[in-house]
């Protein structure tokens, strides 16, 4: 069957979309950051799913010469992306903290109302 | 024969560990207040983790993996009572009293 | 069997994601995000990506949760109910999701060994890297040697993010006021009562630091490397700051030291590249570092992993300090 092989991608897309939904529908900025985190983690899952080979093992050399290894390239890309992701999340969080100090709120519509009243 | 006996013991350990893990989950969901819920999680933390790790150690034989699993076990034995203690103490300091009702604190 | 584990983990991931969407208490949502990270780390192990799982477990569950909690404690702990209907965003999300699912139809099936991704450069990494580069862990050889430029860029991004954070929040010298000297999680004076916690932390912190060093220097042979080691080392320092107070931690590793360390790590990385050029190779071509190319590769990978580890450690701790020292200073 063709579609059975794709359920993994579909579930990952569902996770991605739930993160996306949080980002666009919620006004609270920390909640938006959480949504972004879910989104990015699902993108990582998508990448790693592509590197998987049935019957393969982790790409660490074993004694067996006929061993099948999963593709190490997505692993490398995602490994660095995770650490960069937390660094950028922290920058976003710092911006949120500054917005809170400036406006006294982190709800999007309240900030907009305050901007309009100025 | 000795391998079979090991396999059986492993299977029993893993099954029991899984059961305790699930019972801990049910406990968090069903028990009424903070302290009883903590009691449920402590079962998962100690007995469940111990049984599963012990079962895995039996399978791995005498190798580096066994030593690593032993270290994880030691870490769990030290850390989970500490975490439980810190949580309970903080709860007492915050004035959460046992069996006062359905507060969603966990 | 793998399929069952796969389906169980994916189901749990979906439940957790839905809970994060639904819950309005930000504290709970952040803790659930930590669980989400752990579940995805298990998923990564199931898909043979042990290095990635290690990083996700250390970063997503440890550092990310702590930083988000600190940020939350500086703002609101509860999300307000949005005024508008979420129907419009639901429609947008459904359409986007449908398009993406349509896009997956052209992808090869999950785990298909004949997918085109496995046939180009990956074969070379798998077949040649133990002979050309040396380390049994192919992820390390690809990360540090074949794709050394990428990793250099990513380390620079992390350093830049750290600098941006300090520029945004500022690193304040603490004035010791009894009421305002709070550490990251709860009041410092509360933490003084937690005798058990303090003693256990004294046992744990050396072990955590030792483990970080093991991960750093054993990364060629097993899962691990500079990124994971830096994060784990940083989490040891952060644990110290949480339990003994920010001031005590700043006495151990102060901000000026960290600032220098962060720059030195990247400088070490770049310096190895320049040294390769000086010895007659290309930039980051470690073969030139020693007479035997394999020895050169080994030395080069060792040095740049060290550089990455130092930078990541310093930036993670700087981020924690920046958020934590903000607490108690602003109303």
């Amino acid at each position: 069957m063709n579609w059975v092989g794709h359920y993994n991608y579909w579930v990952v897309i569902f996770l991605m979309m739930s993160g996306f939904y949080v980002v666009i529908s919620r006004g609270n900025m920390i909640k938006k950051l959480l949504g972004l985190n879910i989104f990015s983690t699902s993108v990582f899952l998508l990448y790693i799913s592509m590197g998987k080979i049935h019957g393969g093992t982790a790409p660490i050399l074993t004694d067996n010469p006929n061993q099948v290894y999963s593709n190490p390239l997505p692993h490398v890309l995602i490994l660095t992306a995770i650490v960069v992701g937390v660094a950028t999340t922290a920058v976003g969080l710092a911006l949120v903290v500054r917005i809170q100090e400036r406006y006294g709120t982190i709800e999007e519509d309240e900030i907009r109302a305050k901007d309009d009243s100025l | 024969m000795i391998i079979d006996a090991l396999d059986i013991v492993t299977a029993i350990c893993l099954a029991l560990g899984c059961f305790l893990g699930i019972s801990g989950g049910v406990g968090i969901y069903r028990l009424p207040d903070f302290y009883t819920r903590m009691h449920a999680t402590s079962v998962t933390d100690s007995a469940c983790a111990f049984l599963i790790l012990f079962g895995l150690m039996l399978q791995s034989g005498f190798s580096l993996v066994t030593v690593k699993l032993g270290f994880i076990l030691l870490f769990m034995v030290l850390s989970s009572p500490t975490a439980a203690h810190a949580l309970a103490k903080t709860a007492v300091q915050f004035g959460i009293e046992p069996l006062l009702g359905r507060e969603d604190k966990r | 069997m793998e399929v069952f584990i796969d389906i169980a983990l994916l189901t749990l991931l979906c439940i957790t994601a839905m809970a994060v969407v639904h819950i309005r208490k930000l504290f709970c949502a952040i803790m659930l995000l930590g669980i989400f990270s752990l579940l995805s780390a298990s998923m990564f192990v199931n898909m043979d990506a042990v290095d990635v799982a290690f990083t996700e477990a250390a970063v997503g569950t440890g550092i990310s949760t702590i930083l988000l909690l600190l940020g939350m404690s500086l703002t609101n702990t509860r999300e307000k109910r949005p005024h508008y209907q979420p129907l419009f965003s639901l429609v947008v999300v459904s359409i986007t999701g449908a398009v993406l699912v349509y896009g997956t139809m052209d992808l090869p099936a999950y785990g298909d060994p004949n997918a085109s991704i496995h046939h180009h450069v990956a074969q070379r990494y798998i077949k040649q890297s133990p002979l050309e580069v040396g380390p049994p862990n192919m992820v390390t050889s690809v990360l540090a040697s074949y794709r050394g430029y990428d990793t250099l860029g990513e380390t620079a991004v992390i350093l830049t993010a750290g600098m941006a954070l300090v520029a945004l929040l500022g690193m304040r010298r603490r004035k010791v006021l009894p009421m305002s000297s709070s550490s990251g999680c709860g009041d410092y004076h509360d933490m003084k009562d937690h005798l058990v916690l303090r003693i256990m932390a004294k046992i744990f912190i050396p072990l955590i630091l030792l483990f970080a060093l093991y991960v750093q220097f054993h990364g060629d042979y097993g899962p691990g490397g500079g990124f994971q080691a830096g994060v784990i080392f940083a989490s040891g320092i952060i644990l110290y700051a949480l339990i003994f107070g920010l001031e005590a931690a700043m006495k151990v590793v102060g901000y000026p030291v960290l600032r220098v360390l962060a720059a030195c790590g990247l400088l070490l990385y770049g310096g190895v590249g320049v040294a390769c050029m000086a010895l007659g190779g290309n930039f980051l071509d470690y073969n030139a570092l020693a007479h035997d190319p394999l020895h050169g590769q080994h030395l080069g990978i060792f040095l740049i992993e060290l550089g990455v580890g130092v930078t990541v450690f310093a930036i993670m701790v700087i981020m924690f300090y920046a958020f934590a020292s903000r607490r108690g200073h602003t109303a």
Side-chain angles (χ1 to χ4, degrees):
Chain A
M1 277 301 275
N2 195 20
W3 59 272
V4 178
H6 290 83
Y7 68 90
N8 209 315
Y9 302 135
W10 294 346
V11 177
V12 167
I13 285 171
F14 173 76
L15 291 175
M16 218 183 275
M17 286 306 114
S18 55
F20 186 40
Y21 174 74
V22 174
V23 174
I24 59 176
S25 75
R26 298 303 159 96
N28 187 300
M29 297 205 169
I30 288 188
K31 198 68 185 272
K32 275 179 193 280
L33 276 177
L34 297 185
L36 265 182
N37 259 318
I38 291 183
F39 196 109
S40 67
T41 310
S42 353
V43 173
F44 301 159
L45 282 169
L46 186 67
Y47 260 75
I48 301 290
S49 325
M50 304 222 175
K52 166 79 179 165
I53 298 180
H54 271 309
T57 59
I60 296 173
L61 201 65
T62 54
D63 297 330
N64 180 2
N66 294 324
Q67 183 70 54
V68 178
Y69 300 105
S70 287
N71 194 340
L73 186 58
H75 300 186
V76 175
L77 301 179
I78 296 312
L79 196 154
T80 48
I82 290 175
V83 184
V84 170
V86 73
T88 44
T89 306
V91 174
L93 209 52
L95 286 170
V96 172
V97 169
R98 295 294 296 194
I99 289 171
Q100 161 80 21
E101 284 167 8
R102 174 76 176 73
Y103 288 90
T105 174
I106 50 169
E107 301 288 336
E108 214 173 33
D109 36 359
E110 288 175 21
I111 292 170
R112 208 169 288 148
K114 278 199 181 167
D115 264 348
D116 291 342
S117 67
L118 283 179
Chain B
M1 272 299 109
I2 184 90
I3 304 296
D4 287 345
L6 271 184
D7 280 351
I8 291 168
V9 174
T10 305
I12 292 172
C13 279
L14 288 183
L16 213 60
C18 290
F19 170 74
L20 286 175
I22 292 170
S23 72
V26 173
I28 292 178
Y29 188 64
R30 295 291 299 169
L31 288 174
D33 78 329
F34 178 79
Y35 296 96
T36 45
R37 281 178 193 171
M38 250 187 61
H39 155 77
T41 56
S42 68
V43 173
T44 318
D45 266 0
S46 51
C48 158
F50 176 81
L51 279 170
I52 288 179
L53 284 174
F54 185 69
L56 293 178
M57 276 163 91
L58 287 181
Q59 282 297 305
S60 62
F62 287 103
S63 64
L64 189 63
V65 179
T66 321
V67 179
K68 284 182 184 170
L69 285 171
F71 273 119
I72 298 175
L73 197 58
L74 184 72
F75 186 80
M76 295 289 289
V77 164
L78 287 176
S79 68
S80 69
T82 315
H85 169 86
L87 263 180
K89 185 156 182 160
T90 316
V92 172
Q93 279 176 351
F94 264 95
I96 300 173
E97 290 186 11
L99 277 175
L100 256 185
R102 294 179 158 275
E103 273 177 309
D104 200 23
K105 285 288 183 198
R106 259 212 66 89
Chain C
M1 259 333 267
E2 250 174 46
V3 175
F4 285 112
I5 298 175
D6 205 61
I7 290 172
L9 283 175
L10 283 173
T11 315
L12 286 174
L13 275 169
C14 287
I15 295 170
T16 319
M18 284 293 100
V20 174
V21 174
H22 185 68
I23 281 181
R24 283 187 193 285
K25 269 185 190 160
L26 287 175
F27 181 83
C28 297
I30 291 169
M31 295 319 278
L32 279 168
L33 194 73
I35 293 173
F36 187 85
S37 288
L38 264 187
L39 283 171
S40 58
S42 323
M43 197 68 203
F44 289 143
V45 174
N46 198 30
M47 297 192 287
D48 299 338
V50 277
D51 280 273
V52 182
F54 200 168
T55 319
E56 178 69 40
V59 170
T61 320
I63 304 280
S64 177
T65 310
I66 289 269
L67 289 180
L68 282 169
L69 282 179
L70 272 173
M72 184 200 74
S73 73
L74 289 167
T75 55
N76 265 339
T77 55
R78 219 185 151 78
E79 184 193 0
K80 286 189 186 124
R81 191 169 283 280
H83 295 302
Y84 43 88
Q85 287 295 315
L87 197 67
F88 175 66
S89 25
L90 207 60
V91 170
V92 170
V93 164
S94 317
I95 292 174
T96 320
V99 169
L100 283 175
V101 168
Y102 178 69
T104 61
M105 293 303 179
D106 293 337
L107 287 178
Y110 172 68
D112 183 6
N114 297 318
S116 58
I117 179 176
H118 304 307
H119 284 288
H120 295 283
V121 75
Q123 283 307 316
R124 157 133 194 211
Y125 291 152
I126 291 172
K127 298 251 164 63
Q128 297 294 315
S129 82
L131 308 172
E132 284 181 343
V133 184
N137 186 353
M138 295 160 204
V139 175
T140 304
S141 37
V142 178
L143 179 89
S145 189
Y146 289 114
R147 301 191 71 92
Y149 278 50
D150 282 17
T151 314
L152 178 63
E154 257 133 18
T155 317
V157 169
I158 293 168
L159 182 71
T160 317
M163 290 193 303
L165 196 84
V166 174
L168 279 168
L169 290 180
M171 190 67 77
R172 304 187 175 187
R173 293 280 172 281
R174 325 208 80 217
K175 299 252 172 2
V176 187
L177 297 169
M179 288 314 287
S180 74
S181 77
S182 52
S183 68
C185 181
D187 203 7
Y188 173 48
H189 296 280
D190 282 351
M191 294 307 266
K192 254 185 179 163
D193 301 337
H194 282 280
L195 191 64
V196 175
L197 218 52
R198 291 166 75 89
I199 289 171
M200 291 314 283
K202 278 183 186 163
I203 297 173
F204 274 137
I205 289 167
L207 289 179
I208 292 173
L209 300 187
L210 200 66
F211 180 62
L213 291 178
Y214 169 77
V215 170
Q216 170 84 52
F217 298 119
H218 194 261
D220 300 359
Y221 304 99
F227 284 102
Q228 293 95 326
V231 170
I232 294 172
F233 210 91
S235 63
I237 302 290
I238 290 174
L239 178 63
Y240 185 81
L242 286 178
I243 290 182
F244 297 94
L246 191 61
E247 249 165 285
M250 277 187 162
K251 267 183 205 152
V252 179
V253 221
Y255 171 62
V257 180
L258 287 171
R259 204 169 44 184
V260 173
L261 275 181
C264 279
L266 193 61
L267 209 60
L268 178 63
Y269 200 142
V272 171
V274 173
C276 292
M277 280 166 80
L279 288 170
N282 285 325
F283 188 66
L284 292 175
D285 175 16
Y286 312 131
N287 287 351
L289 282 178
H291 293 298
D292 183 25
L294 267 184
H295 286 180
Q297 289 283 350
H298 202 187
L299 182 65
I301 289 178
F302 176 83
L303 286 175
I304 68 139
E305 288 273 10
L306 189 66
V308 168
V310 168
T311 300
V312 170
F313 156 70
I315 293 297
M316 292 298 152
V317 179
I318 284 177
M319 283 174 173
F320 174 79
Y321 280 179
F323 280 109
S325 67
R326 198 85 183 170
R327 278 196 78 191
H329 280 279
T330 45

